[in-house]
Structure formats: structure tokens, C-alpha cells
Amino acid sequence: MSMTNKDPLLQEIIELDQQYYMNVFGERSPLLFTSATGSWLQASDGRSYLDLLAGIAVNVLGHQHPAIQQAIQSAASKLLHCSNLYYIESQSRLAEKCCQASAMDKIFFCNSGAEANEAAIKLVRAYHHKKGEQRSRILSARESFHGRTLATVTATGQAKYNSIFAPLPEGFDYVDFNDIEDLKRKLSPDVGGILLELIQGESGVHPVNQEYAEAVAALCAEEGILLIIDEVQTGIGRTGAFTAAQSYGIEADIITLAKGLGGGLPIGAMLAKAEVAAAFSPGDHGSTFGGNPFVCEVALAVLTTIKDKNLIPEAKRKGELLKSSLATVDGITEVRGLGLMLGIELESDQAIEIKEALCEAGILVGSVGTRTLRILPPLTISDEELGCFAEKIESIITK
Ligand SMILES: *Cc1c(COP(=O)(O)O)cnc(C)c1O
């Protein structure tokens, strides 16, 4: 790539990465970001890029947001870490905010989405175990993504992620996405939980149907099965409500959050209804880093800013705005998703070429397979920035 030759720093870092970093990410995009502000990343090639991926739904307030910078400075000057042997002010205040925003009763903090889902799986098993019931089986959807730990990669219904790690943990089974009949067929007496994304992100931004979401929630309530909604990507306002469960108007027993919660710092959370949460007794679960004073204070600033700046209804409005400006573009057959979690389906197998052309034009998007572009912009993105994307993609596609 010609660009890399002109940039000695990028060249050096690529060589170091190839020599020392385990090759799990394959060949990365040849870009090295050195700073960022708002929706824009500055690369070592001297160019600016409009960031429509936000670190995969992480940078919900964009980059270098003053509220985050201020929280980081304030938290860093007080206390980074003290362990969960002691009470932690920002942890308790964040717990209250998260529970209220998502209409759940209790929370546990960890460091990532996978850990949050891992905790959810443990809570489901503990819940039934303590009721003296043998209901350890967890159902999840095909084409789902739930993380990389052994349990969550097993729950991830895609062989490409887990087949080489056998023996996988027991007690998992899979249902066809959006197919209530298949779910009914898989309901054996040992099923204790259903783990579901309401919009499958990694596999191409596929939302479940409204009827399916309601039917699953009703079925879970009837059968005493715990409904776990994986909101790691859909949570924190992304879909135009604090959680996608709220967007769909359904109630979960357990939800998991991560990506956007720390605005760029690693934090995950598992939330549950009181009766379910009560299954964890002292010693049943824990974390060294989870919920530490520093990260919680920053996450608190993220949630406060989202509320003060009205970013959740704005995410909904901006998503609809972008959907309507893309609706008339020839070569785009569908724009799926809710709020600022959108998949753009193309007429031809040119997702990678179009992604690269957009990058060349200074706009970063993701692609899934050969026909889908994926965007997860910061919730703070402006109408003008979205308009600039809509114009560029139209001109690229028509060429
Ligand atoms: C990203 C993601 C995860 C995994 O989160 P990590 O922080 O990478 O462990 C789990 N579930 C969903 C839906 C995700 O999008």
C-alpha cells in the first residue's frame, strides 16, 4: 500500500505488530490514529477521518469529550483503585443510574461485554440451582455474538468462533434467529435461560421482529425461563432508548452492558431483577477491577452527559434522518437497525470496495460479508456529519 511507505511511523508500528502481536486481528487497516476530537480521528498520515464506527459502539460521546476529560482528571487525582473490599462512591452512584435507566433492580460491574455475559450465564445457573431445579441449559441464537470467553464463545452461535476450542462447556444449544417455532422445539425441561441480542450486530445488523421479541418474552415468563438480553452493543442509548429492550417494549430478567458505558474506558455490567439477583450470595461471583472508582466516575460522566444533552432521543432522530437520506440512493436496497446502529445493504457485492473508497474519502465505516456496511457513530455526531456521509456514499455508489 502506497500510503504506508510514505509514513515511517506507521511502517515501524506495522513491523512491530507483525513481530510481536499475536495474529488474531489479521491484516488491520493501514491507519495509525494519533489523536481525535469529536467525531474525527487524526491519523499519522496527516489526514482526518470521520469516525462512523466509534471504536465499535464504544465512543458514545465521540472523542475527547470535555465531560469525560474532566471526569478522568478529577478521578485520577483522587483514587484509581482500592478493591471491592471497601465501599466505592462512584460505583454506588453509577449503580443507581444504570438500574434506573434500564429499569432493573441490581447490578454487578466487570470489565467487558464477555465478562458481563459470563456473569449472566452464572446467575441463571445459580438461580435455578438454588431453587433445586436442574435447568442449566442456555439457548442462544444462530449468528449471534456474545464474547470470547469459553462460555460466551460457546453461546455465540457461530462455529467459526468456537469450533477449534473443544471441548466446549456443556449446557448450550442454539435456535434459529427470529423463528419462534424453532425456539419452542428446543424447549427441553433443562432450559434455564435464553440469551439474545435484539439486534445482532457482528453478523450484519439484523433486528429481531417485534412479534418475535414479544413472543420470546411471553414464552420465558410462562415457562420460568430467564430472558437475558445482551445489550453490550445495543445499550447506552444506541437504539434510541437506553436499552434495546425498551425500544422493543419488552422486559428482560437480566441485561448486560459494556461497550458504550465507559465512553472509551473498559467497563461491563450485568443487571437483573431483584428476585433473580438474589441468587448470588457472598462469594458466588466477584471481580478485582470491576467497578473501580476511576472507571465508574468516568462512566457516571458518560451517563450524565447523555441525559443532559438529550442524546437518546437525538440518536433516534438522527438514525431516522440518515435512513431517510439513504432511502433514495440507488444501489442501497435496505437500511436496517434502530437509532444509530445501522446496517446498509447494498445491491451488489461491493461492501469492501465501498468501505475502502469511503476511507479514501476520509470516512470510516465497517463491513460485514460482501454486501453490508455497518455504522455505529458517536451519539454526538452532527446532522452535517451524517449528511456528509450520505452525500459521499451516494457519489461513490453511483460511480
Ligand atoms: C462486543 C460484544 C460482546 C463482547 O464484548 P467484549 O467487551 O469484546 O468482551 C458481547 N456481545 C455483543 C452483542 C457484542 O457486540
Side-chain angles (χ1 to χ4, degrees):
M1 266 166 231
S2 58
M3 194 162 38
T4 60
N5 301 331
K6 287 189 223 123
D7 185 345
L9 177 60
L10 175 60
Q11 200 53 52
E12 183 192 350
I13 297 307
I14 290 175
E15 279 163 24
L16 284 173
D17 179 78
Q18 285 172 351
Q19 186 170 355
Y20 293 109
Y21 206 87
M22 292 198 195
N23 188 22
V24 294
F25 301 116
E27 199 182 325
R28 311 188 200 208
S29 297
L31 286 170
L32 180 68
F33 299 117
T34 49
S35 65
T37 28
S39 310
W40 295 84
L41 287 154
Q42 271 75 51
S44 58
D45 61 10
R47 298 185 61 198
S48 292
Y49 293 84
L50 179 61
D51 183 9
L52 298 185
L53 279 177
I56 317 184
V58 167
N59 305 96
V60 282
L61 301 185
H63 301 277
Q64 310 299 88
H65 193 284
I68 292 185
Q69 289 196 312
Q70 207 183 357
I72 287 176
Q73 273 158 18
S74 145
S77 68
K78 289 184 296 190
L79 175 67
L80 287 184
H81 181 85
C82 63
S83 93
N84 284 306
L85 295 171
Y86 309 100
Y87 291 99
I88 298 171
E89 180 178 351
S90 57
Q91 183 187 91
S92 297
R93 298 203 187 283
L94 180 64
E96 178 187 35
K97 272 215 159 43
C98 288
C99 286
Q100 288 177 348
S102 56
M104 301 302 276
D105 300 314
K106 297 270 186 178
I107 196 165
F108 172 84
F109 289 117
C110 51
N111 310 289
S112 67
E115 264 183 84
N117 286 332
E118 188 84 18
I121 293 165
K122 287 178 71 176
L123 183 61
V124 167
R125 291 189 172 167
Y127 174 81
H128 294 294
H129 177 86
K130 289 187 177 174
K131 287 173 82 176
E133 290 178 2
Q134 302 239 303
R135 300 186 72 168
S136 57
R137 187 170 304 277
I138 309 283
L139 301 181
S140 57
R142 296 214 163 76
E143 305 305 314
S144 60
F145 184 82
H146 298 295
R148 304 282 193 165
T149 62
L150 274 172
T152 59
V153 87
T154 304
T156 292
Q158 302 190 56
K160 70 171 180 194
Y161 287 113
N162 60 33
S163 61
I164 66 166
F165 300 117
L168 297 171
E170 286 173 25
F172 291 87
D173 201 358
Y174 311 98
V175 297
D176 289 339
F177 186 65
N178 248 337
D179 182 346
I180 196 73
E181 293 311 317
D182 192 53
L183 175 55
K184 287 180 184 163
R185 278 194 292 276
K186 301 284 164 54
L187 284 187
S188 51
D190 66 343
V191 171
I194 295 170
L195 171 58
L196 205 61
E197 294 158 274
L198 291 176
I199 306 177
Q200 289 189 334
E202 299 303 304
S203 62
V205 194
H206 296 286
V208 299
N209 304 326
Q210 182 67 37
E211 312 80 72
Y212 182 79
E214 286 172 17
V216 172
L219 200 65
C220 284
E222 267 164 45
E223 303 285 336
I225 295 168
L226 298 180
L227 176 57
I228 313 157
I229 307 287
D230 180 342
E231 301 262 11
V232 168
Q233 194 166 144
T234 52
I236 324 293
R238 172 102 359 229
T239 67
F242 188 75
T243 62
Q246 292 164 338
S247 285
Y248 276 86
I250 64 164
E251 289 225 3
D253 298 294
I254 301 175
I255 69 164
T256 53
L257 299 172
K259 293 196 163 96
L261 181 55
L265 294 191
I267 178 171
M270 189 269 289
L271 298 95
K273 297 288 187 194
E275 187 228 343
V276 176
F280 270 171
S281 308
D284 285 343
H285 197 52
S287 174
T288 298
F289 290 117
N292 88 27
F294 179 73
V295 186
C296 288
E297 187 150 336
V298 176
L300 208 46
V302 171
L303 295 194
T304 305
T305 306
I306 286 177
K307 187 152 199 212
D308 291 350
K309 304 279 177 198
N310 221 20
L311 292 179
I312 296 180
E314 276 291 280
K316 187 169 181 198
R317 185 190 62 78
K318 289 172 195 170
E320 282 160 11
L321 178 77
L322 184 59
K323 265 190 181 173
S324 70
S325 35
L326 295 179
T328 52
V329 176
D330 276 339
I332 293 177
T333 55
E334 185 189 21
V335 183
R336 290 188 297 268
L338 284 173
L340 290 173
M341 178 172 184
L342 297 174
I344 301 165
E345 192 72 16
L346 304 169
E347 199 168 51
S348 60
D349 289 321
Q350 287 184 305
I352 291 163
E353 287 98 310
I354 291 172
K355 176 177 77 174
E356 283 172 359
L358 280 164
C359 182
E360 204 48 49
I363 299 179
L364 303 175
V365 302
S367 63
V368 182
T370 57
R371 282 202 174 192
T372 312
L373 296 175
R374 178 184 177 207
I375 66 161
L376 299 150
L379 305 185
T380 49
I381 195 159
S382 69
D383 291 4
E384 293 69 34
E385 288 162 342
L386 288 174
C388 158
F389 164 63
E391 255 170 53
K392 265 283 172 319
I393 193 171
E394 175 156 29
S395 79
I396 287 169
I397 292 177
T398 23
K399 258 187 246 156

